[in-house]
Amino acid sequence: MSLTVNWTRLPVELIEKISESLTIYADYVRFRVVCRTWQTSLPKTPNHLPPQLPWLMVPNAIPDRPCHVFLDLLINKFYFIYLPETSYRKRHCGSSHGWLIIMDETPNVLVVNPLNRAKLIGMHE
């Protein structure tokens, strides 16, 4: 006899309780994307997590490729993230709270979150 579980029908209280036991942001993100129910039951930004070590952006060995290399110091793992909106002609000026600030020769400033692909475009003077 085989038992199947419909994970989408877990009580919201249980989903919240399990998520509160997670201590690493990447685990929390993975937990949220199990299904739409879990995603809508939990906030995008958890308030219970301890401060996390930042990822380091490693210089790319192939400068004309829009793939960026990040190192997660907590688990000593490299991530290769394809970001076509950033190219070798653009300067990576900094980062804050998971957002990359990117500039080029134009007055445009691009702020992009490499994990969820959210973008903000502005102009500097």
Side-chain angles (χ1 to χ4, degrees):
M1 182 164 99
S2 169
L3 293 176
T4 60
V5 176
N6 185 347
W7 295 103
T8 63
R9 294 193 177 183
L10 282 179
V12 173
E13 297 81 18
L14 182 57
I15 296 169
E16 290 171 351
K17 189 70 172 169
I18 295 169
S19 76
E20 289 169 4
S21 69
L22 301 172
T23 59
I24 299 173
Y25 182 72
D27 291 340
Y28 182 84
V29 170
R30 290 181 191 110
F31 184 77
R32 268 190 90 238
V33 299
V34 166
C35 66
R36 185 167 296 285
T37 303
W38 292 19
Q39 201 169 36
T40 58
S41 300
L42 300 170
K44 283 185 182 180
T45 306
N47 295 322
H48 72 279
L49 290 180
Q52 307 286 300
L53 289 173
W55 284 9
L56 296 180
M57 190 169 169
V58 180
N60 195 348
I62 307 171
D64 58 345
R65 297 278 176 115
C67 182
H68 296 282
V69 181
F70 295 89
L71 171 61
D72 185 340
L73 294 170
L74 187 63
I75 59 174
N76 198 28
K77 182 175 179 181
F78 287 97
Y79 293 93
F80 298 86
I81 300 176
Y82 178 69
L83 295 171
E85 53 278 299
T86 66
S87 69
Y88 69 95
R89 294 181 303 276
K90 298 182 180 181
R91 293 181 298 160
H92 302 91
C93 296
S95 66
S96 179
H97 300 282
W99 293 83
L100 296 177
I101 296 99
I102 300 165
M103 297 176 64
D104 60 15
E105 299 81 31
T106 70
N108 292 329
V109 175
L110 173 66
V111 181
V112 63
N113 185 316
L115 297 181
N116 65 16
R117 299 280 204 267
K119 297 176 200 160
L120 303 170
I121 300 174
M123 296 190 57
H124 67 82
E125 299 185 19

